[in-house]
Amino acid sequence: MSQAERTYIMVKPDGVQRGLVGEIIARFEKRGFKLIALKLVHATPEHLEKHYADLAGKGFFAGLIKYMSSGPVVGMVWEGLDAVKTGRAMLGATNPLASAIGTIRGDYALAVGRNICHGSDTVENAEKEIKLWFPEGITQYASVVEPWLYE
Ligand SMILES: Nc1ncnc2c1ncn2[C@@H]1O[C@H](COP(=O)(O)OP(=O)(O)OP(=O)(O)O)[C@@H](O)[C@H]1O
Ligand SMILES: Nc1nc2c(ncn2[C@@H]2O[C@H](COP(=O)(O)OP(=O)(O)O)[C@@H](O)[C@H]2O)c(=O)[nH]1
Ligand SMILES: [Mg+2]
């Protein structure tokens, strides 16, 4: 767990279409995380197959790739204390029917195949996903609020 931990958060095509990009960014900003990368991209099926390589054997894989390549996504890197685990907690359970009220999926989604937002599940996967989506690298800058967020 570190203050410099990074996670890859992505608003999926349904989240973009439903106008939830600002809402999702606002939640991470208000929580105290630092935005260090952001882009809108219409990803190819080949790129998404790399992102979801761990799920290649699942019955829903073809549908997942079709859904994720159906429109642009907004990819972001957020940095801060325990960013991966806290990011997952902010998203809620994979199936929105099981996501707690107050989480992003629990407040804005109903179906597992349209769950509006992705978040890295481990620090190792976060680093892989950041390299995959931001091969150009990440901009760094000093945050003026850090003394108010951390002891
Ligand atoms: N049973 C299912 N039916 C349809 N889609 C599913 C199902 N299970 C998972 N998915 C879709 O595949 C995605 C990846 O599943 P995974 O198990 O990695 O969940 P997750 O880690 O919560 O989601 P993500 O990786 O997108 O953050 C889910 O977010 C969801 O959109
Ligand atoms: N249709 C369908 N999609 C699924 C299922 N399981 C996972 N997914 C999708 O695949 C994405 C990635 O799965 P996973 O990494 O396990 O879950 P996540 O990290 O919580 O998103 C999920 O967010 C869902 O969009 C499933 O059983 N059916
Ligand atoms: Mg996942």
Side-chain angles (χ1 to χ4, degrees), residues 7-56:
T7 189
Y8 178 67
I9 300 293
M10 172 167 60
V11 185
K12 297 183 178 186
D14 48 337
V16 173
Q17 290 290 341
R18 291 180 54 205
L20 294 170
V21 174
E23 172 65 31
I24 292 167
I25 290 175
R27 287 184 179 219
F28 281 85
E29 278 187 321
K30 288 177 189 166
R31 186 71 192 255
F33 289 111
K34 179 179 171 189
L35 182 64
I36 55 171
L38 173 74
K39 74 163 75 148
L40 178 91
V41 51
H42 194 152
T44 62
E46 294 71 32
H47 187 85
L48 291 157
E49 281 164 11
K50 285 185 199 152
H51 173 81
Y52 279 130
D54 294 355
L55 300 175

Side-chain angles (χ1 to χ4, degrees), residues 12 52 55 60 64 67 88 94 105 112-113 115 117-119:
K12 297 183 178 186
Y52 279 130
L55 300 175
F60 57 83
L64 174 63
Y67 153 52
R88 292 286 293 190
T94 301
R105 289 165 172 170
V112 69
N115 61 359
C117 196
H118 162 80

